[in-house]
Amino acid sequence: MLAGYLADLVLGDPQRGHPVAVFGRAATGVERFTYRDGRMAGVWHVCLLVGAVGLLGAAVRRSAAATALATWIALGGTTLARTGVSMAELLERDDIEAARRLLPSLCGRDPARLDSAGLARAALESIAENTSDAHVAPLLWASVGGVPAVLGYRAINTLDAMIGHRSPRYLRFGWAAARLDDAANFVPARATAALVVLCAGVVGGSPSGAVRAWRRDAAAHPSPNAGVVEAAFAGALGVRLGGPTHYHHELQIRPTLGDGREPTVADLRRAVLLSRVVQAAAALVVIIVNVGLSV
């Protein structure tokens, strides 16, 4: 697991032939045959794809090398941080069009409707949520179940990103993917928020603010997991997240998270640093716990 974390830290995601991208293309192909406008079709779609990945992981011989490779494949924390920095640099140069083109690398919002402040907020919220989804959760699942668990988690999370949103096409078909992702991320999201509280001081943030926003605001968020992490980030950084959120298929009025100012580009940079610190802390905690259990 340490080797997988270090590989992600140094190399980031593979530039070509990323297994997650290969899985995504395969899932799109399978969807041509499994799609029906109903929940049961979505259940079968998810079971088929996640089951196939889980069986593939189980067929791999247990070894340190296999666990390291699977962990590296599933992690995305370094690419997340690099994309956040790139977004901050574009906004600092006031290159709004380039920032809009970059936003889909972070989240599924409609960038055409966002100005500089909206892009900064969207990027910060995505950095917060994906600190859990792209880093803490894979480490925890690798710790719990090795190669099959971490690859299965990445398959679940990828399917949620592909079909778990509430668009007209996927409102029913994507229900199973969304609910399974909620279950898979329930513990990791809260572990991430706890690490945000512990690490907030490193970036000059407020641990008490993170706790307060988490306890007060997270439950109002439509996602049982994203709201927890975003609220903790908002409180730690002293910013206000949430509010009107434009997606390609709908406008959502999100609850307010935190009670500070609107986030700036400087806050986005602080969020990236906080994400990196939380990632390192998560790796350290998971490795220490596993070593302790094995002694």
Side-chain angles (χ1 to χ4, degrees):
M1 288 173 58
L2 176 60
Y5 165 67
L6 292 176
D8 179 66
L9 186 64
V10 174
L11 302 174
D13 290 333
Q15 295 300 306
R16 294 183 179 180
H18 196 305
V20 174
V22 174
F23 172 80
R25 290 194 291 271
T28 298
V30 170
E31 186 181 326
R32 297 193 185 101
F33 301 96
T34 57
Y35 180 81
R36 302 289 187 278
D37 187 16
R39 288 185 175 183
M40 205 62 218
V43 170
W44 286 113
H45 180 75
V46 170
C47 288
L48 175 64
L49 288 163
V50 176
V53 170
L55 288 173
L56 176 64
V60 174
R61 190 173 71 86
R62 289 175 60 91
S63 67
T67 303
L69 180 60
T71 302
W72 177 39
I73 288 171
L75 290 174
T78 294
T79 297
L80 173 70
R82 289 173 180 172
T83 308
V85 169
S86 296
M87 177 64 77
E89 291 172 348
L90 291 172
L91 293 176
E92 286 168 346
R93 296 201 301 266
D94 202 29
D95 192 344
I96 302 301
E97 289 306 314
R100 286 171 174 163
R101 290 193 296 271
L102 181 62
L103 188 66
S105 299
L106 287 169
C107 60
R109 300 186 192 180
D110 184 358
R113 296 177 176 270
L114 299 177
D115 58 9
S116 179
L119 288 164
R121 190 199 108 195
L124 199 159
E125 290 175 352
S126 181
I127 292 292
E129 179 180 0
N130 284 293
T131 299
S132 176
D133 289 5
H135 192 87
V136 177
L139 283 177
L140 289 180
W141 280 106
S143 173
V144 169
V147 174
V150 71
L151 293 183
Y153 168 77
R154 180 47 65 204
I156 291 167
N157 191 245
T158 302
L159 286 174
D160 177 61
M162 293 178 68
I163 65 173
H165 45 84
R166 296 175 63 84
S167 67
R169 175 178 172 84
Y170 295 126
L171 185 62
R172 285 173 286 274
F173 183 74
W175 173 84
R179 297 292 77 76
L180 187 57
D181 184 73
D182 286 344
N185 280 296
F186 187 85
V187 172
R190 284 144 186 85
T192 304
L195 289 172
V196 169
V197 173
L198 294 175
C199 298
V202 177
V203 299
S206 170
S208 62
V211 173
R212 183 169 58 252
W214 175 6
R215 294 181 62 183
R216 184 191 62 205
D217 301 331
H221 196 281
S223 167
N225 300 320
V228 169
V229 185
E230 290 178 22
F233 264 77
L237 299 173
V239 298
R240 183 174 68 255
L241 302 178
T245 303
H246 289 276
Y247 291 91
H248 290 286
H249 53 276
E250 67 176 343
L251 168 65
Q252 293 184 7
I253 306 300
R254 295 283 181 85
T256 299
L257 306 174
D259 50 14
R261 63 187 181 281
E262 290 189 0
T264 64
V265 178
D267 295 314
L268 175 56
R269 286 192 176 275
R270 292 173 66 217
V272 171
L273 178 57
L274 180 57
S275 176
R276 285 187 179 274
V277 173
V278 168
Q279 291 174 35
L284 181 62
V285 169
V286 167
I287 290 165
I288 288 174
V289 169
N290 276 269
V291 170
L293 291 174
S294 65
V295 172

